[in-house]
Amino acid sequence: AQTVTQSQPEMSVQEAETVTLSCTYDTSESDYYLFWYKQPPSRQMILVIRQEAYKQQNATENRFSVNFQKAAKSFSLKISDSQLGDAAMYFCAYRSAFNNAGNMLTFGGGTRLMVKP
Amino acid sequence: NAGVTQTPKFQVLKTGQSMTLQCAQDMNHNSMYWYRQDPGMGLRLIYYSASEGTTDKGEVPNGYNVSRLNKREFSLRLESAAPSQTSVYFCASSVGTSGADTQYFGPGTRLTVL
C-alpha cells in the first residue's frame, strides 16, 4: 500500500515571502499522480497543483510550483509571494495510474500554513 | 455552477441513530466518492462508485452503506451511528477512475455522534 508523509505539522511565512512544504511518499508503482490540495477554514478541498510521475518537468501554476524528485520519492510545494489568502491546511496526495480501488487518493496528514502580515 | 453539493452541512446524532448524507454533482461525472476526515488527518476513502449502478468498498467501509441513485447522486448511510464515526465527510466526483482524472470535492458535512 502507498503511504504519504508530511513531516511539517505547521509552517509560517511572512507575507510576500516564499515557503516550501515537504511531502514524501512510498510506492512500488512506476506510474502515478501526485497532488497538492488546499483546505481553508471553509473546509472546501481545492486542487492547487498536479504532477504526473512520468513527466520530468516540474508542474507550475502561477505562484505555486513543485519540486518532484522521483528517485527520492519527494514532492515539495513552493509558494512564492505568499498572500494572506494562502493560509490553510495543505495536503499532499497520491493516486495510482492503475485502476485499483477506484484509484483512491491517499493523503498525507497535512501541513498548516500560517501567513503573517 | 454548483459543482459538488452536500447536505446537510452539520449534523448531531445520538449513538444508534441512523442518517443519510446526500451528495449531488452537476458536472456529468461518472465516478463519485465518499471520504472521511478525522481531526489532524488526511481524507480516507469509505466507498466509491466508478459508474452509475456500481459501488465498491474503499479503505474504511465498516459501518456505512452507499447508494448510487443515478448519475448525479451518491448517498452515504450510517445505519447505527457510533462515536467513532464522528468526522467530517466529503463527497467527490471525477470524470472516471483513471489516475489522470481530477477529483472535485464538496464542502463537507461535519457529523458529531454523541
Side-chain angles (χ1 to χ4, degrees), chain B residues 23-101:
Chain B
C23 173
Q25 52 90 11
D26 63 1
M27 295 177 281
N28 201 34
H29 285 169
N30 293 303
S31 302
M32 298 184 74
Y33 311 80
W34 277 106
Y35 289 87
R36 62 178 286 175
Q37 183 181 28
D38 298 320
M41 295 178 65
L43 282 66
R44 292 181 294 168
L45 183 67
I46 304 171
Y47 269 93
Y48 69 98
S49 171
S51 60
E52 187 178 356
T54 69
T55 61
D56 283 289
K57 295 178 180 179
E59 186 182 1
V60 288
N62 291 343
Y64 304 95
N65 285 299
V66 291
S67 295
R68 183 75 183 266
L69 304 170
N70 48 56
K71 191 172 185 178
R72 288 188 64 247
E73 298 172 289
F74 188 39
S75 62
L76 178 72
R77 183 160 178 84
L78 287 71
E79 290 291 351
S80 179
S84 61
Q85 294 178 304
T86 294
S87 190
V88 180
Y89 291 85
F90 287 93
C91 178
S93 72
S94 61
V95 170
T97 56
S98 162
D101 294 330

Side-chain angles (χ1 to χ4, degrees), chain B residues 8-13 17 19 21 109-113:
Chain B
K9 286 186 169 51
F10 301 93
Q11 184 70 46
V12 179
L13 293 178
Q17 287 185 319
M19 79 159 296
L21 306 184
T109 295
R110 183 178 293 278
L111 174 67
T112 301
V113 183

Side-chain angles (χ1 to χ4, degrees), chain A residues 19 21 23 32-34 68 100:
Chain A
V19 65
L21 308 184
C23 172
Y32 48 86
Y33 297 83
L34 297 165
F68 173 50
N100 51 44

